[in-house]
Amino acid sequence: MKRKIASILICVAMVAAMVVGCGSKEEPAAAPTEQEAEADTPADAPEADAPEADAPAAGGELITIGFAQVGHESDWRTASTKSCQDVFSEANGYDLQFVDCDNDSAEQLNAVRTFIEQDVDYIIIDPIVSTGWDTVLSECESAGIPVIIIDRTIDDSDKYVSWVGSNFKTEGLAAGEWLKAYTEAKNISEVNVLVIEGSTGASATIGRTEGFKEIADREGWTILDSQSGDFTQEGGQKVMESYCKSYEGKFNVVVCQNDNEAFGAMDAMKAASVSYGVNGDVILISFDACTAGLEFVMSGDINADFECNPLAAPFVEDVIKTLQSGGTPEKEVYMVEHWYVNEDILSSIEVNGESQELTVVTQDIIDAQY
Ligand code: GZL
């Protein structure tokens, strides 16, 4: 609140300076406001702070948002960050304080505490791991700063206003149900699976692992191994190189819990002369369905890619606008997602007893993807 009063006083001072300045050509440009200084905006940009007609904040001042992002580990993460930076721009009436926490949970907690010290208006968190949050969320609550969670979930506290993201267990179930239908259609009776998991402790990893394993156990498949590739291409390659040595000739399915791991796994299988994809010995399944991932689905290198939609920011802005107008936003907002495949031998699958469409990847779909 102190920050807000300071900004208003600075703005009043600025307007006074500009009024004085208009009467004389020699007046220096108004001193940068606190926001300008922080946003490293050039001193000659007073109009950058001019209240926008449709600025969501009362009184025209920018809404300050602290965003503690997981890191920069994948194409998905890049799209998630861009979505927030595009929506929460100064032109749209926001002052976004962005911190890339580089997959470091301690760093992420520090970032949130810094936002509290800065007395931001809202805090957005994409939690690297799903536990260890209740204390810092209590501190946000005591400071009167609403918290919005995006993407991954927090499992040990509900001290946040809303969560906007995906159902990761459903993604894992969908991958399992597709594999069941696909192996039946291809008359593949024996299914021996190697899994490359995402970052340990991330709810995306937990959910996808749980969902796929539920189907594997039901169908009697063998999961030979399941190790973390940390959602990175390097991690996927390292794990797959090890798998190719330890399980040579014993596996016919590889499940990568994101596209970047799949890119690395493909490099490793190629180097080990293991064929994969629609015309290969190994069925390759991925998650995220980023543009590059869908290109590999269309080429037949990846058999199926289960989308996780990173474009949460517009829905987060809806939450903020609801709060700004004194309303109560939904506690949970789920993103719409698609299941992408190369071949059109199946039109749909049953997930949780509900028929869900499969989408054959086309160039138009790739051109429109994130
Ligand atoms: C899932 C998201 C995961 C993506 C990965 O919602 O948290 O983290 O699947 C990203 O690409 O690294």
Side-chain angles (χ1 to χ4, degrees):
M1 194 51 83
K2 292 181 290 304
R3 175 180 159 76
K4 295 184 188 63
I5 293 168
S7 301
I8 292 168
L9 289 175
I10 290 168
C11 287
V12 168
M14 260 185 57
V15 169
M18 284 181 344
V19 167
V20 168
C22 286
S24 147
K25 296 255 182 304
E26 294 79 50
E27 281 294 305
T33 67
E34 184 186 338
Q35 278 130 355
E36 280 174 345
E38 276 185 2
D40 202 17
T41 319
D44 61 357
E47 64 279 1
D49 276 352
E52 295 285 328
D54 57 357
E61 68 182 37
L62 297 177
I63 291 182
T64 58
I65 296 178
F67 176 26
Q69 175 63 293
V70 165
H72 50 274
E73 73 286 356
S74 64
D75 292 26
W76 189 99
R77 189 63 54 200
T78 302
S80 165
T81 295
K82 184 176 183 304
S83 173
C84 285
Q85 290 173 333
D86 289 349
V87 169
F88 300 115
S89 66
E90 196 163 329
N92 289 341
Y94 300 97
D95 172 10
L96 181 67
Q97 300 298 312
F98 173 76
V99 176
D100 171 341
C101 301
D102 199 15
N103 228 22
D104 179 332
S105 296
E107 175 60 33
Q108 191 163 51
L109 294 174
N110 288 339
V112 174
R113 291 191 164 102
T114 301
F115 295 149
I116 295 172
E117 285 164 19
Q118 291 172 339
D119 191 23
V120 297
D121 296 310
Y122 297 93
I123 291 175
I124 299 173
I125 303 170
D126 188 334
I128 295 168
V129 292
S130 53
T131 54
W133 284 100
D134 196 57
T135 302
V136 76
L137 292 182
S138 301
E139 293 166 22
C140 295
E141 202 170 56
S142 305
I145 301 175
V147 175
I148 300 158
I149 308 300
I150 63 169
D151 176 31
R152 299 181 187 176
T153 56
I154 284 179
D155 297 342
D156 66 350
S157 178
D158 65 354
K159 295 187 178 86
Y160 52 86
V161 174
S162 292
W163 165 83
V164 180
S166 304
N167 188 319
F168 304 119
K169 182 175 179 183
T170 297
E171 293 170 2
L173 289 169
E177 295 292 8
W178 172 83
L179 183 60
K180 172 191 183 293
Y182 186 77
T183 49
E184 283 175 352
K186 294 275 186 177
N187 296 316
I188 297 171
S189 54
E190 201 178 331
V191 177
N192 296 304
V193 187
L194 288 169
V195 178
I196 302 180
E197 294 181 10
S199 303
T200 304
S203 56
T205 303
I206 295 165
R208 289 170 190 163
T209 301
E210 192 183 326
F212 183 81
K213 189 176 182 304
E214 187 173 301
I215 307 303
D217 292 347
R218 184 193 73 192
E219 297 300 318
W221 301 333
T222 304
I223 296 183
L224 296 164
D225 208 335
S226 194
Q227 295 176 28
S228 172
D230 219 9
F231 282 137
T232 65
Q233 181 162 339
E234 184 193 359
Q237 182 167 349
K238 270 192 190 138
V239 172
M240 196 66 234
E241 283 167 351
S242 161
Y243 282 167
C244 286
K245 293 187 183 94
S246 310
Y247 302 99
E248 187 181 354
K250 294 176 183 163
F251 63 95
N252 61 346
V253 179
V254 170
V255 178
C256 296
Q257 290 189 349
N258 86 329
D259 288 328
N260 295 80
E261 290 178 344
F263 304 157
M266 285 191 274
D267 290 343
M269 284 193 278
K270 215 175 289 172
S273 304
V274 173
S275 65
Y276 53 83
V278 169
N279 300 313
D281 296 334
V282 173
I283 295 166
L284 181 55
I285 293 170
S286 186
F287 292 84
D288 280 355
C290 68
T291 300
L294 291 186
E295 284 166 349
F296 280 117
V297 174
M298 192 160 84
S299 67
D301 292 287
I302 293 177
N303 295 75
D305 203 341
F306 296 83
E307 185 181 37
C308 182
N309 187 334
L311 309 181
F315 303 95
V316 175
E317 186 177 37
D318 288 346
V319 169
I320 288 174
K321 285 183 174 175
T322 301
L323 291 168
Q324 288 288 115
S325 58
T328 305
E330 295 293 324
K331 184 76 175 180
E332 293 181 339
V333 178
Y334 283 91
M335 304 296 289
V336 174
E337 298 174 339
H338 305 85
W339 312 142
Y340 291 108
V341 295
N342 171 277
E343 302 153 278
D344 62 354
I345 52 175
L346 300 162
S347 59
S348 64
I349 50 174
E350 285 283 308
V351 182
N352 286 327
E354 179 196 317
S355 176
Q356 294 184 1
E357 215 176 80
L358 296 173
T359 304
V360 175
V361 174
T362 63
Q363 192 57 50
D364 287 348
I365 287 174
I366 291 172
D367 294 344
Q369 194 59 336
Y370 65 84

